[in-house]
Amino acid sequence: MTTPTSIDTTAATSPPRLPLDADALLRYARARVRAFPRDANVELRVTQFGHGQSNPTYKVECVRVDDARTTKRPPRVLATYVLRKKPPGALLRSAHAVEREFAVQRALSSRAARRVAVVPVPAMIASCDDASVLGTPFYLMSHVRGHVFVTPGLERLPSAAHRATVYRDMARILGGLHRIDPSAVSLRDFAGGGGARRESDARTYSARQLRRWTRQYDESCRDGGDAEREPCMRELIRWLSANVPKDEPGGRLTHGDYRLDNLVFKRADGGGGCVAVLDWELSTLGCPYGDIAYNCIPYHLPRTRPGRVNASYPAFEEGPLPDGIPTEAEHVRAWSEASGLPNPMTSGTWPFYVALSLFRAAAILAGVRRRAREGNASSANAAAAGALVETLAKRALLVAGVPEPAAAAAAVDDLAQSRVGFPGRSSIASASASASTVRAPVGFEPSERAAKLLVSLRRFMREHVYPNEVRLPTARLLSFARRASFLED
């Protein structure tokens, strides 16, 4: 299936993959939605958005049915909503929290929040926790017209200035979110357990996140045998457990899944600014460094061939970053200025937050994989998403500088291209940063020994062979190569 590089929110829907009872929803809307059209001759036309891996999301159009009967014109749309609901079937604990989505977005729409920073969200219309209505809890919100950019390189935008504007908006809005005092917008207890729990969790947010996502991953792998086939995930869990920061800023509102394709921009060229931030399911109170690190995941994913898009976690295309796209360091610095918080890349803990973000992404995809097996996944490409679990774990181990398992240590090309140096990076990653990059299909990176040999070979070719190949006969070059140190072992 081809994934588009951008999504028009007015058109990017298809017949529901997970059925929804339109008649039951119509009865609910007539009774509970204040501005719902009161015309008796209306019905609901329901389609499903294809992007996103978690909570099923539907476009709900209220149409006048007699228009089609009396004229040849299509039915007139009187109102358009978006519905988010929990998926059916057995769910992991604390997952698919549509109630929290509704609460945080309503709070961000308040005057108190907007006096500090404008974090654009859809208007919240109604929330229903009665599973008898549609099978699972759901909420209704306004439909925001605009465009969602899927590829982080924004290659289709007309200029470097347009790309730079999108990234500035992305950093500015996240920084603004982290400036809002949760108590001022009635979210003091948003992390659960009251104010005392909030103050305690402020110091242990990363430990809490690691426990939660380890549990989610274990539950997702139960009875499937996946954990045994994913040794990098186990190695990553061990490293993260041993490297949780002892002190970190906490108690801030966090989005939890802040990525480019959860932002709606007004125009297809990125102009007009961001008009909505979507998908607040993982929002909580905690350390804002986790949000900005998660937002930087594309800088650490295997580069893709031009025109190929991984829908689960889109990455940059092969080659240098497109003009106008900031480096990771520039993007994090812009967020730091917008939030008023210290730049996390100046401390030795930044690799931890990036590795934790990649681990969370892998754990999320493990859950998608399980739901795909059970037949209740919301995304059209859910079955393929699970194949990335171990690949994301390998990238996290690389960021952490952990050389084992061996297959994880050699996927070095994209960290070199992102122009970021991490304290404690492995020797193979450091060597490769100054060498030609190692290209391999996702999940098929060479072993550590092979990658080291490739780095040495390419260095030798660049320094000795290419400058002399027009002058030396082939026999002498081969003789020289046999004596070279990189072939001794």
Side-chain angles (χ1 to χ4, degrees):
M1 176 179 295
T2 301
T3 301
T5 57
S6 66
I7 297 171
D8 181 346
T9 64
T10 65
T13 58
S14 59
R17 293 173 300 282
L18 298 175
L20 187 144
D21 188 338
D23 292 335
L25 179 58
L26 178 59
R27 291 192 294 271
Y28 173 86
R30 279 177 166 157
R32 300 296 182 87
V33 176
R34 182 180 305 173
F36 190 79
R38 300 303 173 187
D39 195 317
N41 296 319
V42 298
E43 65 180 18
L44 298 184
R45 185 167 59 195
V46 178
T47 54
Q48 187 171 353
F49 290 97
H51 194 65
Q53 295 287 358
S54 187
N55 292 323
T57 307
Y58 302 86
K59 183 179 179 182
V60 179
E61 295 176 303
C62 178
V63 299
R64 189 190 299 276
V65 293
D66 57 2
D67 285 354
R69 293 173 184 164
T70 59
T71 70
K72 294 182 179 180
R73 292 180 305 214
R76 184 153 55 101
V77 177
L78 302 178
T80 303
Y81 308 95
V82 172
L83 183 145
R84 291 261 290 178
K85 70 188 295 285
K86 292 188 177 184
L91 304 178
L92 300 176
R93 288 179 295 171
S94 76
H96 310 285
V98 295
E99 305 89 346
R100 294 174 66 81
E101 287 190 47
F102 185 86
V104 69
Q105 290 178 93
R106 183 172 57 183
L108 290 171
S109 300
S110 67
R111 290 182 180 177
R114 296 176 74 86
R115 278 197 294 266
V116 178
V118 176
V119 180
V121 292
M124 297 296 103
I125 295 173
S127 177
C128 178
D129 59 5
D130 183 357
S132 68
V133 178
L134 293 180
T136 60
F138 66 93
Y139 70 94
L140 283 167
M141 58 183 166
S142 64
H143 174 249
V144 178
R145 300 171 66 92
H147 298 266
V148 174
F149 300 118
V150 177
T151 55
L154 301 172
E155 291 84 4
R156 299 288 181 88
L157 294 197
S159 72
H162 287 82
R163 288 186 281 271
T165 296
V166 168
Y167 270 76
R168 275 198 302 271
D169 271 4
M170 185 160 62
R172 175 184 57 79
I173 290 170
L174 184 61
L177 172 68
H178 295 153
R179 291 205 317 270
I180 295 173
D181 179 1
S183 300
V185 293
S186 303
L187 291 176
R188 177 178 173 81
D189 299 333
F190 193 52
R197 163 76 183 274
R198 175 199 168 206
E199 294 303 320
S200 172
D201 281 348
R203 295 187 296 274
T204 61
Y205 170 78
S206 291
R208 177 164 51 106
Q209 286 285 294
L210 180 57
R211 287 194 301 270
R212 173 187 177 177
W213 291 107
T214 299
R215 183 179 68 245
Q216 298 270 77
Y217 174 68
D218 288 340
E219 292 179 1
S220 296
C221 294
R222 191 176 59 239
D223 305 325
D226 298 300
E228 290 75 14
R229 296 192 296 270
E230 292 166 346
C232 289
M233 283 291 279
R234 291 298 163 196
E235 181 69 22
L236 178 57
I237 291 170
R238 284 191 288 271
W239 184 87
L240 290 168
S241 300
N243 289 275
V244 175
K246 293 182 174 59
D247 188 34
E248 61 185 7
R252 305 293 181 108
L253 270 176
T254 62
H255 181 278
D257 193 16
Y258 194 78
R259 38 192 272 180
L260 179 62
D261 55 340
N262 274 332
L263 276 59
V264 181
F265 286 82
K266 185 173 183 178
R267 298 204 307 259
D269 64 357
C274 174
V275 292
V277 180
L278 308 177
D279 199 354
W280 292 82
E281 174 193 349
L282 299 177
S283 181
T284 187
L285 302 185
C287 175
Y289 291 167
D291 259 356
I292 184 59
Y294 192 83
N295 189 231
C296 287
I297 280 181
Y299 292 99
H300 301 281
L301 296 177
R303 300 293 174 96
T304 60
R305 294 187 181 92
R308 296 185 62 182
V309 181
N310 185 307
S312 301
Y313 283 92
F316 290 109
E317 292 184 355
E318 293 177 339
L321 294 174
D323 290 343
I325 301 295
T327 64
E328 181 181 42
E330 291 167 343
H331 184 55
V332 175
R333 185 166 59 249
W335 165 84
S336 176
E337 293 170 355
S339 66
L341 293 166
N343 186 333
M345 293 189 75
T346 61
S347 73
T349 58
W350 181 246
F352 172 85
Y353 290 107
V354 174
L356 179 63
S357 296
L358 287 162
F359 171 65
R360 286 180 52 224
I364 290 169
L365 292 185
V368 173
R369 176 176 60 198
R370 177 176 175 174
R371 293 198 304 277
R373 284 200 195 105
E374 296 171 349
N376 64 352
S378 65
S379 174
N381 58 4
L388 290 175
V389 173
E390 186 76 339
T391 296
L392 291 176
K394 291 178 183 180
R395 309 303 290 189
L397 288 175
L398 177 63
V399 169
V402 179
E404 297 293 339
V412 297
D413 49 315
D414 307 302
L415 285 182
Q417 288 198 34
S418 67
R419 290 169 279 175
V420 175
F422 291 134
R425 283 175 63 189
S426 65
S427 59
I428 179 63
S430 299
S432 297
S434 61
S436 299
T437 57
V438 177
R439 297 286 177 201
V442 176
F444 293 92
E445 295 90 350
S447 68
E448 180 178 7
R449 183 173 181 274
K452 287 180 178 178
L453 185 60
L454 280 171
V455 171
S456 298
L457 175 61
R458 287 178 170 173
R459 185 184 300 115
F460 172 80
M461 295 292 289
R462 188 177 64 251
E463 294 176 358
H464 300 290
V465 175
Y466 298 142
N468 294 293
E469 62 181 346
V470 295
R471 298 196 301 269
L472 293 178
T474 302
R476 286 187 61 188
L477 282 174
L478 290 175
S479 175
F480 186 44
R482 291 191 188 99
R483 298 194 302 271
S485 60
F486 75 87
L487 290 178
E488 287 179 357
D489 58 355

